[in-house]
Amino acid sequence: LEAALNPFSVRLDARARWAAEQADAVLARGEGGPLTGLPITVKDSHWMAGIESAHGSLAMAGHVPTETCAAIERLEAAGAVIFAKTTTPEFCYSGITASPLHGVTRNPWNPDRTCGGSSGGSAVAVAAGLGPLSLGGDGGGSIRIPAAFCGIVGFKPTFGLVPREPCADGWKSLVSVGLMARSVADVRLMLSPIAGIHQRDRHSIPALSLDVPTPDVRGLRFAVSEDLGQAPVDGDALSAFRAALDRLAESGAEIVHDHPGLDSSVWTWATIAAADARWSEAHAWEHSRHVLTERTREMLAFGEQVTADEYVLAQYRRERIHRAYVDLFERTGSCALLTPTLGCEAFGHDAYHPGTIGGVDVGPPWLDWAGFLYDANLGGFPACALPIGLGDDGLPLSMQVLGLRGWDGPLLAVAAAIEAVVDFKRVAGPAPHARVEI
């Protein structure tokens, strides 16, 4: 499957065999952590000392960090066997996974379609059965987009719950290190050992109340929005979302239709993200521009044009976005906000965004096709992508389950309850890797 799907940027066979031997010895003594012996992959952008971390860019080829990020240190301390790093687009700046350094990564449900990005290799590895768990990163949907397109669970924790440092300079206030798995239970298994404050990461926060029992959906109250008041949705995505809501209501859940009352946050997100990118990638922009992809050059050029006024105003806008969601939860008394994760199925490799969604053109200047996702990054909210059905082309569709900051344990418990009611495996049929010609 590796050759057919291209999920890995670096294979760590020798390291993995050594770790597996250690795990066998530990388990033989009746000891071990919660992840002992489990094969796990990590995103290429996560630093590991002595291992290349090129971020999918020719400009970064040969970049070998001297430090390991705290999340990976904690994974290995918990007994994980890390056997590969996974592919990303250049600098993780795209919602597809294709780069000049590592090529195109393909969706296991249909290799002619994108897997999404930027944690695309991680999603493909999990969806195709190449390890049950993967560590991803999400600065603007980069876990939730590929999770949605590949039919798996993708969880972006509260900002800072999983420490990110040491890492690259960019998107310090946007990226959450998160988790990708085939079930909410597996996400919860992986989260506890790596969550919590770490002194090297000034953004990290304590892990509180992660071990929450899965509730019965009967009596749970959900705020629901089909479009957040502004996001386009294809008919099949809307039908799958409504069908999932119907199953929840039939099981006794209370559905309250509401939304935060905001316009699209794409300007706010793009202003901050592009300006941060310009200066994070300053050396590549100033010295290796000729090897950068067109998409990366567009991002960095836009970032160079962002004024100080615009950047500061975008930061002010974040506060209003955060407050709008707090007000929504107080107004509705809900345990989670449910929306589609994306408004469409995975598209082909000939584009880096869909041409239209729900009859609405997607184009410059904002390429706004992920309007359900930015607010969780801007507000620091936890958000989980759950597969809920298949679209007209037989590809996965997904629901986003979003909560307020610090609600990670209760939110995952609620997501597990929703997962049991929706029962995606019953809807989807055979595992996606059964469709891939090797």
Side-chain angles (χ1 to χ4, degrees):
L1 288 174
E2 181 180 4
L5 300 176
N6 188 33
F8 304 137
S9 59
V10 179
R11 286 277 296 273
L12 303 172
D13 293 5
R15 183 190 189 106
R17 289 193 179 98
W18 179 88
E21 290 170 358
Q22 301 306 305
D24 284 345
V26 167
L27 292 170
R29 297 195 300 269
E31 302 171 355
L35 304 179
T36 298
L38 288 179
I40 293 177
T41 54
V42 299
K43 191 175 181 178
D44 184 64
S45 55
H46 299 317
W47 286 4
M48 297 178 72
I51 307 297
E52 184 178 62
S53 182
H55 299 225
S57 178
L58 291 171
M60 291 280 287
H63 171 248
V64 178
T66 58
E67 297 179 284
T68 299
C69 72
I72 291 179
E73 288 183 340
R74 288 176 173 177
L75 281 177
E76 293 194 313
V81 176
I82 298 176
F83 70 93
K85 302 191 78 183
T86 60
T87 51
T88 72
E90 187 168 52
F91 297 119
C92 304
Y93 291 161
S94 179
I96 65 171
T97 299
S99 77
L101 191 61
H102 297 125
V104 174
T105 300
R106 301 181 179 277
N107 192 316
W109 290 83
N110 182 342
D112 293 331
R113 301 294 183 95
T114 182
C115 60
S118 65
S119 304
S122 288
V124 170
V126 170
L130 308 180
L133 306 169
S134 192
L135 193 70
D138 190 318
S142 286
I143 284 174
R144 291 162 289 158
I145 291 171
F149 280 169
C150 292
I152 64 168
V153 178
F155 182 58
K156 186 204 85 66
T158 294
F159 177 71
L161 181 65
V162 178
R164 183 180 173 218
E165 298 288 346
C167 61
D169 290 333
W171 295 13
K172 293 289 191 185
S173 69
L174 291 174
V175 172
S176 291
V177 173
L179 308 95
M180 311 182 81
R182 292 193 290 275
S183 70
V184 176
D186 286 350
V187 165
R188 299 173 82 179
L189 176 73
M190 188 179 177
L191 178 61
S192 292
I194 64 174
I197 196 165
H198 194 289
Q199 292 303 328
R200 283 187 298 181
D201 189 337
R202 68 183 180 88
H203 297 295
S204 63
I205 61 175
L208 303 173
S209 303
L210 294 182
D211 187 15
V212 177
T214 300
D216 190 315
V217 297
R218 183 175 301 278
L220 292 181
R221 178 180 296 174
F222 297 107
V224 169
S225 179
E226 296 180 347
D227 61 4
L228 286 184
Q230 46 77 23
V233 184
D234 282 342
D236 55 352
L238 188 57
S239 294
F241 182 66
R242 288 175 174 172
L245 295 180
D246 288 344
R247 289 194 288 275
L248 290 172
E250 290 164 2
S251 298
E254 183 179 355
I255 304 298
V256 180
H257 289 273
D258 203 341
H259 61 73
L262 298 166
D263 295 330
S264 172
S265 299
V266 66
W267 178 87
T268 303
W269 179 85
T271 297
I272 297 167
D276 281 7
R278 162 62 181 90
W279 299 105
S280 175
E281 269 49 86
H283 188 273
W285 178 241
E286 294 163 10
H287 300 285
S288 304
R289 193 176 309 186
H290 62 288
V291 302
L292 300 179
T293 63
E294 179 181 1
R295 171 64 175 152
T296 297
R297 292 197 301 269
E298 289 174 354
M299 168 81 86
L300 301 185
F302 171 59
E304 191 165 56
Q305 297 168 8
V306 173
T307 66
D309 290 355
E310 290 169 333
Y311 191 83
V312 171
L313 289 172
Q315 296 291 356
Y316 290 167
R317 172 71 174 165
R318 293 180 79 164
E319 302 307 316
R320 293 193 290 273
I321 291 168
H322 177 268
R323 178 57 187 270
Y325 279 82
V326 172
D327 290 347
L328 169 69
F329 278 92
E330 290 181 351
R331 183 168 65 244
T332 60
S334 54
C335 64
L337 170 64
L338 309 183
T339 72
T341 303
L342 294 169
C344 64
E345 295 173 86
F347 46 89
H349 295 295
D350 57 344
Y352 63 89
H353 62 84
T356 63
I357 299 178
V360 177
D361 290 337
V362 177
W366 301 115
L367 306 179
D368 188 7
W369 61 278
F372 294 104
L373 306 183
Y374 308 119
D375 290 344
N377 297 99
L378 293 167
F381 305 123
C384 187
L386 287 178
I388 56 172
L390 301 179
D392 293 343
D393 293 336
L395 298 172
L397 296 167
S398 178
M399 170 188 285
Q400 177 175 241
V401 185
L402 182 146
L404 294 182
R405 286 174 45 81
W407 286 16
D408 300 74
L411 189 75
L412 284 172
V414 167
I418 296 172
E419 177 185 58
V421 170
V422 172
D423 195 7
F424 175 70
K425 293 179 181 178
R426 175 187 57 80
V427 176
H433 57 78
R435 299 168 168 82
V436 179
E437 293 184 8
I438 304 175

